[in-house]
Amino acid sequence: PRRRRASLAPVVSPRAMLSRAPRAMRGLALGARMMSKPSVAVLGSGPTAAAAKAAVGEWATVTDSANSAPYVLVVDGAPGSVKADAVVAVPTCADAAKLAAAVPTAKVVAVTAAPAVAAAAELASKAGVATSEVANVISWGSGFADISHATVGGKWALTITDSPLPSPAVTPEAEVEAAVSTIKALALGTDGAWVSMGVPAVGDFGTGTGVYYSVPVVCTPGDYKRVGGITLSPPVAAAMEASRASLAGA
């Protein structure tokens, strides 16, 4: 007798499977996706804070409650009470040192990237490319830009400008972008991309210890790691030492 050929089950896409699932299961799946957005408290009362809240709201759930959110962005003013294990970004290195002393179990950083954001925009304008094509601009110390290691459209930035230490005008838009990109990096990670933020100095790059100092880092959700192996030209090293002395005396 002839054998019957086994029939193959039709291939059903995950989306089709979800559409055929009971309503309750579809609701659970949708809820899980919505819960994947981090909760971020954005604190401040001025126009910069309002712009930051709108920008953060594009990828996170924004709240005004700093004492319950896992991530807190302070745009202006004081953070008040925060969770003991919160990840908090505050406006300056001095603010970060003060809050870290008050809540030693929190992970506190300073928003220092505005000069790097402004320098990246300036480089992009000169090269005629999008700012997304600019990488590895650093903000050191209390916040000054260094483009020694930056690339623009895959080329070294110093091929289109002479000075490694630009002095771009820091606009309110750059301040908003710096604040939002700092807390976003900490909440979502950077996938290996460099960002600059003020963190406790540990002696690398001659920064000493006992102060908060801006360095380049890479982030995973909830944590950061310093970027090592960066060479410093004499002008950059001198500017970093001046910034260190200023922060130490603050």
Side-chain angles (χ1 to χ4, degrees), residues 99-110:
L99 181 61
V103 191
T105 54
K107 191 178 296 293
V108 183
V109 306

Side-chain angles (χ1 to χ4, degrees), residues 62-105:
V62 177
T63 176
D64 294 323
S65 179
N67 60 4
S68 62
Y71 298 96
V72 180
L73 172 61
V74 182
V75 181
D76 57 66
S81 176
V82 299
K83 289 179 62 179
D85 59 348
V87 178
V88 188
V90 296
T92 69
C93 287
D95 292 333
K98 183 177 180 180
L99 181 61
V103 191
T105 54

Side-chain angles (χ1 to χ4, degrees), residues 6 13 55 65 173 205 228 244-245:
S13 70
S65 179
E173 290 78 14
F205 307 115
R244 184 206 64 79

